[in-house]
Amino acid sequence: MTNDESWRTYAYGIVSKATPDSCLIRLKGDRPEVAASYAPAYERNIAETGPGQLVALRPVSDGHYEVIWRWHEAEVLDTDPLTLRDDFHGKTTGFELGDSCPEAPQVGQTVFFSSGMTESRRIDAMDSSSRPIDWTALSDYVGPQIAELYEHFEN
């Protein structure tokens, strides 16, 4: 992993509106919505970015953010095998749980999965009325991986 801890400044939120140039994000907690552009290394994912998706943002200037990663929002249809449905991929199986998700998801639960940092698709966050997203676990687990990935893109 990277020794640079700039990932600790990442913000996380849910996309409320997306265009080809930017998107509007509801940040975690009671913070106001922010507009964010897309990082150059992220541009191949712009067409897949839409409302409901979880995104990681990095600050690039005072009050301005860039989207650097996104997770697809999906509903759990079955747990054996773990089967999800999302708007982009449809009904799919073959997921693993990331370290930020210590418990298996339940049928009907909303989860957020990534398909870009590993060969398999990985669930990194879960959200339900009984088990909301653990933002600290998500940040501590995924933040360094995203930072390491961007080091390769930007060098």
Side-chain angles (χ1 to χ4, degrees), residues 43-96:
E43 289 177 350
R44 67 182 181 88
N45 296 310
I46 290 173
E48 298 178 15
T49 303
Q53 292 183 336
L54 172 64
V55 292
L57 308 166
R58 72 173 169 191
V60 291
S61 64
D62 189 30
H64 182 72
Y65 294 92
E66 284 183 330
V67 175
I68 57 173
W69 197 258
R70 63 96 182 84
W71 291 266
H72 294 282
E73 175 189 39
E75 178 186 2
V76 177
L77 299 178
D78 198 352
T79 57
D80 189 22
L82 186 53
T83 306
L84 307 179
R85 179 181 56 228
D86 74 283
D87 291 338
F88 188 76
H89 300 93
K91 182 178 174 180
T92 51
T93 60
F95 294 88
E96 61 184 44

Side-chain angles (χ1 to χ4, degrees), residues 95-115:
F95 294 88
E96 61 184 44
L97 290 180
D99 289 347
S100 57
C101 297
E103 299 176 28
Q106 304 299 310
V107 172
Q109 189 171 10
T110 297
V111 298
F112 297 91
F113 72 90
S114 170
S115 57

Side-chain angles (χ1 to χ4, degrees), residues 1-14:
M1 294 293 159
T2 180
N3 290 329
D4 175 12
E5 293 202 4
S6 62
W7 62 269
R8 292 194 183 274
T9 63
Y10 294 170
Y12 297 87
I14 304 294

Side-chain angles (χ1 to χ4, degrees), residues 23-39:
C23 57
L24 194 59
I25 312 292
R26 292 185 318 270
L27 295 176
K28 70 179 181 81
D30 294 328
R31 297 166 58 191
E33 286 188 324
V34 297
S37 58
Y38 302 106

